[in-house]
């Protein structure tokens, strides 16, 4: 017998009725389960109040009721804003910025700081830029600003994004096939299908989603290929017990995008790039590429001629563009390097460093570079509702991440991470005092992290990216590459290369009390004990016995977190709130490694806000002011560094009809570093770059003269966003949006300024029956703008220009 979708549903309902009759209970209990699941699979339209937000203080609360700033992203908004990665989150919401760390968005940025990623309310493996987190498994997400509530556990300073997984369909079988082609050889396809069925006589449903992409990018030599396979199952095991489980496999292939090197204000403003490469030190002993011993201390700084690190201009260029008198002050290297080398005498006499025009697509990346990752994620929810006033939930998550990256400018990293997380939650309703809902439980989490990293050289400015080909002289051995003795080049210090085990055990509770119909409080408490062990991986080839003995460490930490929020409803559909939280933030090193108590920093948040839902629920607005203090972990110096931030945010959604809506936001933020600056790339004007480009030019300037408050650069401090959508006819619709960013500083020294920008996007779609065709475009008018980045270490040397205008066409068939 052929089981059609309609028959599947009839069989499910029949099984429900039979079970109810056998048990002597009412038929409606299991039918309600099916109806609820069927109604919820696409819950949410454009309004933040259109679905509950379960990832802050538990299930059932709306964005209006929550005493925290949250950007609620529904499936409809996922499609409207074409959200495909964490880098796209800057299109919607206040306090959200595109994360750009060497081109791979592994962690979101909220309120100018790194944030964590949760999946179904469970913390995922931390990874800074090992891979772009897959969106193939999620239906929607919540962006929660500031430290996570206590029951969720410690996260980085900015807050967290909670991924809501794709859920099976219980009403009928359904599916979709979407195919996209676009600029930069984009080819993307997603097949999504699910159906109800009977599993051992129990009502069940499954869902499968396959996503694949092959694409180049705006930036030369940078691809973006991946494959995601996701499957989920939900089963009503008994009248009071349900199971939801699923898994995703994700395979990503690309390479890093460090962007432009040799950064000057002229490069930012006009694309004027300093040309030339230093003397040729390619060595047969080092595999025909640069001699690394001449690029790291002490080789680069002792026993070399005064101009060893200076750039050399091709002879024809120098002779055509430099007057003979000035050229005579340069070092003639035509016989060995084919040109003239800059000298200090040349600049003292009024000489200038020569530039050529380049576009934003010419970046430091090498076509032989790679950044490959594989990730496996499995989750499970087992929910018991045997008591009408109590819900017991067992949650599990297992994630295994492996990455391998190599960049020929002089960087390499390999990581492996395993996370096993289990949590028991009990939600008890109707308690005293007054009307209290108490959620309490315990969690046990284990993280194994292994990282091999090599950041000893990284002479970013060595390579001339205006050249048509990449020279062997600008390819620097790194990581897995062998030295002349056959040993690898992985860093020999803990923090650079680390293998660690971390155990976290916690008890937690969250209580929501309705003291009056106009007054609610939310109290969260968490007690956690931490045990860690760290060492130098055995794979580090050049480590000495003394280095290995010094690297080993272990320890434990006991800490607590607490939060109190008060919400007042002076008028209907109006919520005024105040929240205070103090506790601990987890700051792993790259690859999720932990090797000291510095990885656990104190975190504090104060937030005041107001939310309203007006015009019969068609208008929602939220306003929040906040101040926080936290810390982030510095991999290179192996210590935590304190930060603070403050700002204000406004979000507004107006949907007067189903066919027309406006989404707007505005935010102003400022982040301060509370500790002096440590080791990092130095700012260099054009003359210094011309004289020092051959090696990594680094040092320490604890407090730059132009920035004594150490105001954090790297992301816009002020932004405004607007998006308007209109379904003009039943078949035709369109949307247009813009993001305005005020000019912002690129570096702590405040010598490099990234310009103000207004970036437009738009789309037109046509729908007829099961077919939808959408044409969309980003950066419609080709605005020159830049992707901000964390300037902690390297971004005096690097800056990334954002893509020019691009477009894509998506055809979706629903069945």
């Amino acid at each position: 017998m052929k089981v059609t979708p309609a028959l599947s549903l009839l069989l499910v309902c029949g099984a429900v009725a039979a079970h109810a009759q056998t048990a002597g209970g009412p038929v409606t209990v299991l039918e309600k389960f099916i109806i609820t699941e069927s109604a919820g699979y696409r819950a949410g339209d454009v309004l933040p109040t259109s679905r509950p937000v379960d990832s802050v203080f538990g299930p059932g609360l709306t964005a209006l009721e929550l005493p925290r700033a949250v950007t609620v992203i529904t499936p409809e908004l996922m499609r409207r804003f074409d959200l495909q990665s964490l880098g796209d989150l800057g299109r919607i919401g206040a306090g959200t910025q595109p994360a750009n760390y060497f081109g791979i968005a592994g962690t979101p940025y909220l309120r100018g700081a790194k944030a964590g990623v949760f999946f179904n309310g469970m913390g995922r493996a931390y990874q800074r830029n090992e891979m772009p987190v897959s969106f193939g498994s999620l239906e929607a997400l919540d962006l929660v600003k500031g430290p996570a509530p206590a029951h969720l556990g410690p996260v980085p300073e900015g807050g967290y994004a909670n991924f809501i997984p794709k859920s099976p369909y219980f009403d009928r079988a359904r599916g979709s096939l979407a195919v996209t082609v676009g600029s930069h050889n984009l080819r993307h396809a997603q097949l999504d299908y699910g159906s109800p069925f009977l599993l051992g006589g129990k009502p069940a449903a499954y869902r499968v989603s396959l996503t694949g992409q092959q694409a180049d990018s705006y930036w030369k030599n940078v691809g973006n290929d991946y494959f995601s396979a996701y499957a989920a199952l939900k089963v009503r095991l008994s009248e009071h017990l349900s199971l939801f489980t699923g898994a995703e496999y994700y395979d990503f292939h690309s390479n890093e995008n460090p962007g432009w090197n040799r950064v000057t204000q002229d490069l930012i403003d006009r694309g004027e790039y300093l040309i030339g490469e230093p003397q040729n030190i390619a060595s047969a002993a080092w595999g025909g590429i640069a001699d690394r011993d001449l690029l790291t201390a002490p080789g680069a700084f002792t026993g070399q001629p005064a101009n060893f690190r200076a750039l050399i201009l091709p002879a024809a260029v120098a002779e055509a563009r430099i007057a003979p008198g000035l050229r005579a002050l340069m070092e003639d290297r035509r016989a060995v390097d084919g040109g003239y080398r800059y000298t200090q005498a040349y600049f003292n006499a009024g000489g200038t460093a020569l530039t050529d025009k380049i576009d934003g697509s010419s970046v430091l990346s090498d076509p032989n570079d790679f950044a490959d990752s594989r990730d496996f994620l499995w989750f499970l929810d087992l929910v018991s509702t045997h008591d009408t006033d109590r819900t017991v939930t067992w949650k599990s998550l297992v994630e295994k991440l492996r990455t391998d990256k190599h960049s020929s400018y002089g960087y390499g990293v390999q990581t492996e991470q395993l996370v096993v997380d289990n949590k028991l939650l009990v939600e008890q309703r109707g308690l005293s005092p007054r009307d209290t809902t108490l959620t309490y439980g315990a969690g046990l989490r284990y993280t194994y992290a292994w990282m091999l990293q090599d950041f000893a050289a990284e002479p970013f400015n060595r390579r001339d990216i205006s050249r048509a080909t990449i020279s062997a002289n600008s390819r620097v051995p790194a990581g897995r590459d062998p030295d002349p003795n056959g040993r690898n080049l992985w860093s020999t210090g803990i923090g650079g290369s680390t293998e660690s085990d971390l155990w976290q055990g916690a008890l937690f509770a969250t209580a929501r009390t309705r003291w009056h119909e106009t007054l609610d409080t939310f109290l969260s408490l968490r007690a956690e004990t931490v045990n860690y062990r760290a060492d130098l991986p055995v794979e580090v080839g050049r480590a000495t016995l003394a280095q290995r003995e010094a690297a080993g460490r272990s320890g434990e930490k006991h800490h607590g977190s607490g939060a109190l929020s008060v919400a007042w409803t002076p008028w209907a559909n109006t919520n005024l709130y105040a929240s205070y939280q103090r506790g601990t933030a987890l700051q792993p090193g790259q690859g999720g490694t932990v090797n000291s108590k510095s990885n656990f920093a104190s975190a504090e948040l104060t937030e005041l806000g107001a939310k309203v839902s007006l015009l019969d629920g068609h208008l929602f607005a939220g306003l929040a002011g906040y101040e926080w203090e936290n810390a982030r972990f510095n991999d290179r110096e192996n210590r935590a560094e304190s930060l603070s931030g403050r700002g204000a945010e406004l979000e507004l959604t107006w949907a007067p009809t189903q066919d027309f809506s406006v989404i707007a936001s505005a935010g102003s933020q400022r982040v301060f570093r509370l500790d002096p600056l440590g080791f990092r790339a130095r700012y260099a004007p054009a003359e210094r770059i011309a004289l020092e480009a051959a090696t990594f030019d680094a040092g320490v300037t604890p407090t730059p003269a132009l920035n004594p408050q150490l105001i954090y650069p790297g992301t816009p401090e002020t932004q405004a966003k607007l998006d308007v959508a209109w379904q003009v006819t039943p078949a035709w619709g369109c949307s247009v949006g813009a993001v305005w960013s005020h000019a912002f500083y690129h570096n702590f020294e405040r010598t490099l300024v990234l310009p103000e920008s207004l970036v437009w996007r738009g789309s037109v779609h046509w729908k007829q029956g099961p077919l939808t065709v959408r044409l969309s475009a980003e950066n419609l008018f080709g605005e020159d703008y830049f992707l901000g980045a964390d300037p902690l270490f390297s971004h005096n040397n690097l800056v990334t220009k954002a893509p020019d205008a691009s477009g894509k066409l998506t055809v979706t068939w629903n069945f």
Side-chain angles (χ1 to χ4, degrees), residues 439-521:
T439 302
Y440 60 93
L444 181 63
R445 180 181 176 95
Y446 169 72
T447 302
Y448 168 77
W450 170 89
M451 176 181 65
L452 298 174
Q453 188 172 200
D454 173 24
F455 47 42
E458 291 189 274
F460 300 107
N461 288 332
R462 185 174 186 84
R463 178 171 297 167
D464 184 344
I465 64 175
S466 70
R467 294 189 174 189
T469 59
I470 295 175
S471 67
N473 185 40
S474 70
R475 289 191 169 106
V476 179
R480 65 171 66 194
D481 296 329
D483 69 8
N485 297 315
R487 300 169 303 182
N488 61 51
L489 300 170
W490 300 118
S491 295
T492 57
I494 192 99
S497 298
T498 308
E499 183 175 23
S500 67
D501 296 281
L502 171 67
W503 289 92
Q504 296 169 260
L507 299 174
F508 51 82
T510 298
R512 179 197 180 190
T513 302
R514 170 146 288 191
W515 300 97
H516 185 267
E517 62 182 10
T518 63
L519 183 65
D520 292 81
T521 60

Side-chain angles (χ1 to χ4, degrees), residues 262 274-279 307-313 330-331 340-343 353-354 461-464 686 688-694:
R262 304 182 184 179
L274 292 165
I275 60 172
E277 282 200 355
Q279 77 177 62
N307 300 318
F308 169 70
R309 296 186 296 277
L311 295 176
I312 299 170
L313 294 174
M330 303 178 77
E331 182 181 346
Y340 298 86
R341 181 153 63 185
Y342 287 118
T343 64
L354 299 191
N461 288 332
R462 185 174 186 84
R463 178 171 297 167
D464 184 344
R688 186 177 178 90
I689 294 173
L691 293 173
E692 302 285 347

Side-chain angles (χ1 to χ4, degrees), residues 261-433:
N261 58 352
R262 304 182 184 179
V263 185
T264 64
Q265 195 63 49
D266 287 339
L267 177 64
I268 292 169
D269 293 341
R270 296 183 295 278
E272 297 288 345
Y273 180 80
L274 292 165
I275 60 172
E277 282 200 355
Q279 77 177 62
N280 186 8
I281 59 170
S283 167
W286 286 88
I289 56 179
D291 184 337
R292 176 162 160 144
D293 286 341
L294 298 177
L295 300 176
T296 55
F301 301 94
T302 60
Q304 301 296 339
N307 300 318
F308 169 70
R309 296 186 296 277
L311 295 176
I312 299 170
L313 294 174
V317 173
E319 291 164 359
R321 298 172 59 179
I322 298 176
L326 282 173
R327 195 169 66 246
L329 298 175
M330 303 178 77
E331 182 181 346
D332 188 344
R333 304 238 350 143
R334 285 177 293 176
V336 289
D337 287 304
Y340 298 86
R341 181 153 63 185
Y342 287 118
T343 64
Q344 188 64 59
Y346 166 83
F347 288 109
N348 290 343
T352 59
L354 299 191
T355 64
D356 281 343
K357 281 280 246 183
I358 63 170
D359 61 31
S361 66
S362 299
V363 294
L364 198 58
S365 298
D366 185 329
N368 295 313
D369 293 346
F370 55 86
D372 299 336
S373 296
R374 291 182 178 179
D375 183 68
F376 174 78
L377 174 75
W378 171 80
F379 71 94
L380 176 143
D381 279 7
L382 189 63
V383 182
S384 171
T385 56
H386 191 273
D387 189 328
T388 57
D389 291 326
R390 181 170 57 192
T391 300
V392 180
T393 304
W394 177 270
K395 299 178 73 70
S396 294
L397 179 139
V398 176
E399 185 169 16
K400 180 71 177 293
L401 169 65
R402 175 89 186 195
T403 187
D404 186 7
K405 300 166 69 172
H406 187 278
S407 295
S408 70
Y409 66 80
Y411 177 72
V413 65
Q414 293 180 359
T415 71
E416 183 175 321
Q417 195 172 168
L418 171 66
V419 171
V420 181
D421 198 2
N422 289 283
K423 190 181 296 184
L424 177 67
L425 299 104
V426 180
E427 181 187 7
Q428 188 77 44
R429 297 170 290 276
L431 297 177
S432 296

Side-chain angles (χ1 to χ4, degrees), residues 66-71 111 143-146 577 607 611 624 649:
L66 285 174
R68 290 287 295 271
V70 182
T71 298
R111 293 179 171 174
L143 302 178
V144 183
K145 289 75 173 285
Y577 69 88
E607 182 173 302
K611 300 178 181 182
E649 301 166 347

